[in-house]
Amino acid sequence: MKIIKWADVHCEHSVHGNNIRGEGYSSLTVDWLVAHAISERPDCVFILGDLFDEHGLIESSLAVGVRNKILSMTAHGIKIVIVTGNHEYQEVSEKFFGHGLVEAIFGGREDQGVYVVDAEARIIPMNEKTAIVGIPYRSTKEQFSETVIAPILKNIESLEGKDVIIGWHCGVPNAAAWRGDEPENAFIAEDNPEMKFLFDLAHNRRIFCGHYHGPGDTKFGNLGTFTYVGSPSTRTIAESDQD
């Protein structure tokens, strides 16, 4: 399969945002990414979180504009898998009619080949040989165990004999992270058997990640490799205003 991976596009409308220099830049970035994908004709575009920048409600014009641009790829036979990142992760009971942000914007379109990974991890068969496992951002070990590991284990038989491509918004929270004070993600550790389970599952023991905006590989002990896709629209560490 040919899979193009995006991460940390951070679309936003406000010139007050730290990540992107105004809405025009956001729009141009998505235009370029979509045009590139259509020209490359992948089987799937795998979006690894933080497609949007706001940590809460967003303007409907932004949501509809980005949605329509991305959905235009389906007319070219490209499947789309979208994973929730930390910028889209929130309590949803009172916000989008009980849905998370990504689900509210892109959900209900699996008949078009659009798959949302929001409430829990998902296994998405691509063909007879390949399956995608999408992992949404989670901030505690309990959430990770209940809404990531448990759903994968429940459907583990569907992965038998397949190459498993794992995409996750997060990654190493301490040694390789700029934000080393993330105790809530301390479960991302080499001695956590759930992490060993994921790397054992992943094709070539490689997990594709977003969250950290510079692209590159980080070895995770002897378990495998985190591959950071990198942000197409900014090379700054936006939340802390560091280059």
Side-chain angles (χ1 to χ4, degrees):
M1 287 197 69
K2 185 175 183 177
I3 302 174
I4 289 177
K5 303 168 191 73
W6 303 351
D8 299 280
V9 183
H10 285 285
C11 291
E12 50 95 7
H13 253 328
S14 172
V15 295
H16 300 295
N18 287 328
N19 285 7
I20 297 176
R21 295 150 182 85
E23 62 186 83
Y25 197 80
S26 298
S27 178
L28 289 172
T29 301
V30 177
D31 287 344
W32 185 89
L33 287 167
V34 169
H36 172 260
I38 290 172
S39 70
E40 291 290 326
R41 295 296 179 97
D43 298 284
C44 177
V45 169
F46 198 0
I47 304 175
L48 302 177
D50 285 2
L51 176 62
F52 295 98
D53 187 58
E54 298 297 332
H55 281 280
L57 298 172
I58 65 173
E59 296 178 40
S60 58
S61 57
L62 173 64
V64 172
V66 172
R67 181 193 68 194
N68 290 347
K69 290 175 183 181
I70 289 175
L71 291 182
S72 70
M73 294 186 290
T74 63
H76 300 270
I78 301 171
K79 294 180 180 180
I80 301 166
V81 179
I82 308 177
V83 169
T84 290
N86 63 298
H87 277 249
E88 296 128 349
Y89 177 67
Q90 58 203 263
E91 297 297 327
V92 300
S93 59
E94 301 295 333
K95 296 216 171 188
F96 302 103
F97 303 98
H99 297 294
L101 175 63
V102 178
E103 179 68 36
I105 296 171
F106 291 99
R109 293 179 171 82
E110 293 194 8
D111 59 334
Q112 300 174 41
V114 180
Y115 302 88
V116 174
V117 182
D118 195 339
E120 61 181 28
R122 293 190 62 186
I123 295 171
I124 303 164
M126 291 283 113
N127 55 32
E128 295 81 6
K129 296 183 178 180
T130 308
I132 279 178
V133 173
I135 301 177
Y137 177 83
R138 289 295 180 265
S139 61
T140 70
K141 185 181 188 305
E142 290 72 22
Q143 291 174 344
F144 187 73
S145 297
E146 293 171 5
T147 65
V148 172
I149 300 301
I152 295 173
L153 285 171
K154 183 179 179 181
N155 298 285
I156 195 72
E157 291 182 0
S158 66
L159 297 176
E160 187 174 348
K162 287 185 168 62
D163 290 337
V164 179
I165 309 300
I166 297 181
W168 182 16
H169 181 67
C170 207
V172 181
N174 294 314
W178 59 271
R179 194 165 50 180
D181 58 345
E182 285 187 325
E184 68 270 24
N185 289 336
F187 62 87
I188 308 174
E190 297 169 43
D191 59 356
N192 180 355
E194 293 178 339
M195 294 305 305
K196 182 179 186 304
F197 165 72
L198 288 181
F199 276 102
D200 286 345
L201 198 62
H203 182 58
N204 291 333
R205 295 183 177 272
R206 182 179 301 274
I207 295 176
F208 295 94
C209 296
H211 196 45
Y212 307 121
H213 293 178
D217 291 335
T218 296
K219 289 288 186 182
F220 193 60
N222 295 319
L223 297 185
T225 302
F226 281 119
T227 293
Y228 297 100
V229 174
S231 171
S233 54
T234 175
R235 292 301 303 274
T236 63
I237 300 168
E239 291 85 351
S240 60
D241 296 320
Q242 298 175 23
D243 290 336

